Amino acid sequence: MHKDTSYEAVMSRRGEIMKKAVGIDYGSFELAGVAFDYEQMMRKTGYSLEQVQKIQRSTGVGNTPLLELKNLTALARKFSPKGKGARIFIKDEASNPSGSYKARRASTSVYHAKKNGYKGVIAATSGNYGAAVASQAAMHGLETIVIQECYDSRGVGQPEIIEKARKCEAYGAEVVQLTVGPELFYTFLTTLEDTGYFNASLYTPFGIAGVETLGYEIAMDFRELEGKDPDAVICTNAGGGNLTGTARGLIKAGAENTRIIGASVDLSGLHMASDTEFNRKSFTTGHTGFGMPYATWPDRTDVPRSAARPLRYMDEYYLVSQGEVFFMTEALAQIEGLERGPAGNTSLAVAFSLAQEMDEDQTIVVQETEYTGAGKHLQPQLSFARENGIEIFRGNPQEEIPGKNIILPSHPELIKVRPVDLKKMKTSYVKNTVKKNAIEQFSQDEMVFLQEEVKLDKVKLEAILKDLSIKY
Amino acid sequence: METIKKGSWVRIYDVVLKSTERSPNLPEDTKKVPLEMWNKGFLQKDAEIGDRVTVKTLTNRLVEGKLLEENPTYTHSFGKFVPEILPIGRQLKDILRGGEEDA
Ligand SMILES: Cc1ncc(COP(=O)(O)O)c(C=O)c1O
């Protein structure tokens, strides 16, 4: 009776296990070739904005405060050319039940699991999402299992991840902790099979629909406050769901002219699956180790088609260093009186730098904050880095080398974001599509799909294909 | 050795995949080490540290592993003081007040 639980056997049952655990027939959205009907998938299997608002209202999720950061704006203006220095606002998502915007993302998944008779939910995450799922499941009376990548082979864990395990357990969840490696997916599959629980995946339409309310609220709050739409909304970007959901919400609110900006911590050079490099980074999300691969190949997740597709929405993308984000985290506490977690402040660091280039009558919304506490705070994260041989000093953050040092800016004027070449990322998306599907030529329908996937008009997409010598 | 009583809240450890059983697409350093797992639960029989045991987890699953400790404690904290952080707030306030900082 016992099923074969060898690595190969479990991986080969992957499709079947996932189908049972998310209940979505992804095949029905596939179109010819590489294309699929993204909007149809979001409509048919997600929830409408009104439904999500209702679900979230009943569990205390959302309707978080939108605050103006007057002192940070004043600070940015000290270093801005005359007439520059946009006003900075922040959506205080830390006031969600589990302390981050991830409560929105979990709310719809857990609601859906409950409605469909699942006894429990499982999430594979080392981040805020575990606590979000556990908190929502506690409200609905469901069991939760969270599977974390937590330790290196010495058994040393990132303090931030250990804190998140504690928070999951505080909501009654079982937490399975693993060492570094993508085979977390194997444990995830065996646990799903073993329990029959719902896969509260980060990447289903349920999760992304849950984030749409964040973008929608930003537009509505902002109009009430300022009588117009914000000029830019900045999203900390890793797997891309935060940006995708927020952008979709803004569009649903009709804020068509708001620039959607992605922000990530630059961890280039560090390999995400490396045992020895695992504890040489001080950010566990919002960094390029997720941001780049997930944007340029979204369908690498646990589900066949990811609902998080950031290149569809991103207008600009900027990188900041670990030291710059830690500095801004301290600044937010010291001059704005808001002590919040570092990872969520990635977009804040970008806002501080970009504000100096934008006109002073323009506005920027930083779309989130996250909770802070033991382990998940710049003090323990920097202390841990130092124990792991990372040099920490004040200086020029542009000289930071991930895995070697963390440079806290010696002066706020030195905080300068670095733009990512989006055309390069879009090219890389196209290249991945060609490689994964062994494409020789794209059809007209596939071209329409690709244009939407990378947010380019026909002429620009054709230029990329010509550069790559791909027929269409 | 001290016996840990059935029903105690304990932490266990297990090897999920030996290094030879791991996925082929791994960096060299990760390839050399096993995939390891930690979990917590209620001990199903009296046992000693290091014994192979079964626990019932918070979701009532039975999970096997090596017994590590009783009443596992959270030890994460705010870490050792990092003095480089301290001057930042004072510097920013100085700049806002219009003076030049000397931090
Ligand atoms: C606080 C916070 N901000 C941003 C992100 C990034 O979200 P995404 O992975 O959807 O890009 C995460 C997710 O890990 C998060 O926890």
Side-chain angles (χ1 to χ4, degrees):
Chain A
M1 256 317 276
H2 265 293
K3 285 199 168 154
D4 183 352
T5 56
S6 71
Y7 183 74
E8 288 72 25
V10 171
M11 294 308 271
S12 72
R13 290 200 296 276
R14 158 186 192 159
E16 171 197 332
I17 296 171
M18 273 310 163
K19 198 159 180 176
K20 239 180 93 190
V22 292
I24 295 177
D25 178 13
Y26 283 94
S28 64
F29 309 112
E30 286 302 312
L31 301 172
V34 301
F36 82 105
D37 194 336
Y38 177 55
E39 286 304 334
Q40 187 73 353
M41 177 178 92
M42 297 304 285
R43 251 196 310 277
K44 278 266 168 77
T45 57
Y47 287 80
S48 73
L49 189 81
E50 292 72 26
Q51 285 171 310
V52 176
Q53 284 173 325
K54 212 168 132 202
I55 292 166
Q56 293 183 342
R57 220 172 288 133
S58 74
T59 49
V61 174
N63 284 315
T64 54
L66 180 69
L67 308 169
E68 180 167 8
L69 302 179
K70 293 196 175 120
N71 292 334
L72 270 179
T73 302
L75 186 70
R77 286 181 179 170
K78 295 269 179 194
F79 321 119
S80 308
K82 200 169 161 15
K84 300 280 174 187
R87 289 162 66 198
I88 306 170
F89 296 74
I90 201 164
K91 185 82 167 148
D92 198 16
E93 286 291 289
S95 46
N96 276 303
S98 62
S100 76
Y101 91 92
K102 288 277 169 69
R104 297 181 190 265
R105 207 153 163 182
S107 65
T108 33
S109 270
V110 177
Y111 173 88
H112 186 80
K114 172 79 178 182
K115 199 177 83 177
N116 286 278
Y118 289 88
K119 296 279 174 276
V121 287
I122 305 190
T125 163
S126 307
N128 291 311
Y129 189 58
V133 170
S135 158
Q136 288 294 306
M139 292 187 199
H140 288 287
L142 297 184
E143 302 285 0
T144 306
I145 302 175
V146 172
I147 304 177
Q148 290 189 326
E149 183 182 61
C150 184
Y151 297 104
D152 65 16
S153 63
R154 301 170 299 166
V156 175
Q158 288 263 345
E160 191 185 4
I161 302 178
I162 292 171
E163 158 53 21
K164 283 161 184 168
R166 182 208 60 80
K167 198 165 174 66
C168 290
E169 289 179 343
Y171 295 124
E174 171 185 340
V175 181
V176 180
Q177 296 180 307
L178 298 171
T179 47
V180 180
E183 305 100 321
L184 180 146
F185 194 59
Y186 162 81
T187 302
F188 183 50
L189 289 173
T190 54
T191 315
L192 284 171
E193 200 167 41
D194 182 32
T195 57
Y197 286 179
F198 182 74
N199 171 15
S201 164
L202 279 158
Y203 299 102
T204 56
F206 312 123
I208 303 308
V211 186
E212 288 178 5
T213 54
L214 175 49
Y216 193 82
E217 273 173 37
I218 287 172
M220 293 303 162
D221 295 353
F222 206 83
R223 286 171 191 167
E224 198 177 310
L225 216 60
E226 296 292 318
K228 57 178 183 178
D229 290 338
D231 293 288
V233 170
I234 312 194
C235 311
T236 297
N237 185 55
N242 187 34
L243 187 142
T244 300
T246 301
R248 291 177 61 84
L250 282 162
I251 293 166
K252 286 189 177 176
E256 308 269 352
N257 296 320
T258 299
R259 282 152 64 199
I260 308 290
I261 299 178
S264 293
V265 174
D266 188 356
L267 289 189
S268 51
L270 291 177
H271 195 302
M272 291 307 129
S274 162
D275 176 55
T276 50
E277 290 176 6
F278 182 67
N279 281 324
R280 299 192 71 78
K281 61 178 186 286
S282 293
F283 280 79
T284 58
T285 188
H287 58 68
T288 51
F290 296 128
M292 294 296 169
Y294 279 78
T296 54
W297 188 242
D299 296 320
R300 60 193 303 132
T301 73
D302 55 342
V303 290
R305 287 293 193 179
S306 175
R309 311 188 83 84
L311 285 186
R312 284 183 171 243
Y313 301 99
M314 207 186 282
D315 294 310
E316 292 154 55
Y317 190 19
Y318 296 96
L319 304 186
V320 281
S321 69
Q322 300 181 94
E324 288 172 313
V325 179
F326 283 134
F327 185 97
M328 287 308 297
T329 299
E330 181 66 4
L332 187 66
Q334 291 280 339
I335 65 172
E336 290 291 349
L338 296 169
E339 192 188 23
R340 299 291 183 266
N345 291 329
T346 305
S347 45
L348 178 67
V350 169
F352 183 73
S353 170
L354 281 188
Q356 297 169 43
E357 296 167 15
M358 289 166 62
D359 294 342
E360 61 186 5
D361 61 353
Q362 290 193 303
T363 51
I364 304 180
V365 175
V366 172
Q367 55 80 267
E368 64 154 334
T369 59
E370 56 160 1
Y371 87 99
T372 186
K376 190 171 151 59
H377 185 279
L378 77 159
Q379 170 66 50
Q381 287 176 231
L382 283 172
S383 167
F384 180 78
R386 185 162 267 164
E387 278 160 36
N388 281 280
I390 309 294
E391 294 168 56
I392 292 158
F393 55 93
R394 299 202 53 195
N396 182 357
Q398 310 304 321
E399 290 163 12
E400 182 173 297
I401 302 169
K404 181 169 186 293
N405 55 32
I406 293 176
I407 306 179
L408 296 166
S410 56
H411 195 282
E413 207 170 1
L414 297 172
I415 297 173
K416 290 266 175 282
V417 292
R418 292 162 289 289
V420 176
D421 183 349
L422 272 186
K423 185 177 170 217
K424 232 170 162 176
M425 286 181 72
K426 292 173 184 194
T427 304
S428 158
Y429 172 97
V430 173
K431 265 196 208 159
N432 284 332
T433 305
V434 168
K435 203 167 77 191
K436 307 268 175 190
N437 300 286
I439 297 293
E440 300 202 344
Q441 180 167 10
F442 284 118
S443 70
Q444 274 316 306
D445 289 345
E446 287 176 315
M447 289 292 283
V448 172
F449 171 75
L450 287 178
Q451 276 180 53
E452 287 166 1
E453 281 283 277
V454 296
K455 203 181 185 192
L456 284 179
D457 60 27
K458 192 155 177 273
V459 176
K460 291 212 171 96
L461 177 64
E462 286 178 357
I464 287 180
L465 293 175
K466 277 182 195 130
D467 278 352
L468 295 172
S469 312
I470 297 162
K471 283 190 277 197
Y472 54 91
Chain B
M1 227 194 218
E2 204 191 329
T3 302
I4 298 177
K5 289 268 178 270
K6 175 182 171 180
S8 303
W9 180 244
V10 298
R11 188 158 191 250
I12 60 163
Y13 162 92
D14 204 10
V15 170
V16 182
L17 296 169
K18 295 195 202 90
S19 58
T20 51
E21 298 168 328
R22 297 197 67 160
S23 156
N25 321 309
L26 292 177
E28 287 306 316
D29 56 350
T30 313
K31 219 177 265 175
K32 283 192 221 131
V33 294
L35 181 70
E36 302 163 283
M37 184 274 300
W38 290 259
N39 202 335
K40 293 175 187 170
F42 299 101
L43 191 60
Q44 294 302 288
K45 277 188 195 145
D46 290 3
E48 286 177 4
I49 301 290
D51 286 353
R52 183 119 191 124
V53 298
T54 302
V55 299
K56 192 180 250 187
T57 68
L58 285 176
T59 63
N60 291 319
R61 293 197 306 142
L62 293 174
V63 178
E64 270 185 49
K66 189 171 89 178
L67 181 56
L68 290 186
E69 57 176 325
E70 185 183 11
N71 294 328
T73 303
Y74 302 112
T75 55
H76 65 295
S77 68
F78 285 89
K80 291 208 184 90
F81 187 70
V82 178
E84 289 82 355
I85 299 171
L86 189 60
I88 295 173
R90 300 164 61 85
Q91 176 187 33
L92 298 181
K93 285 171 196 171
D94 268 352
I95 297 172
L96 280 175
R97 286 188 200 113
E100 248 325 289
E101 76 285 359
D102 55 6

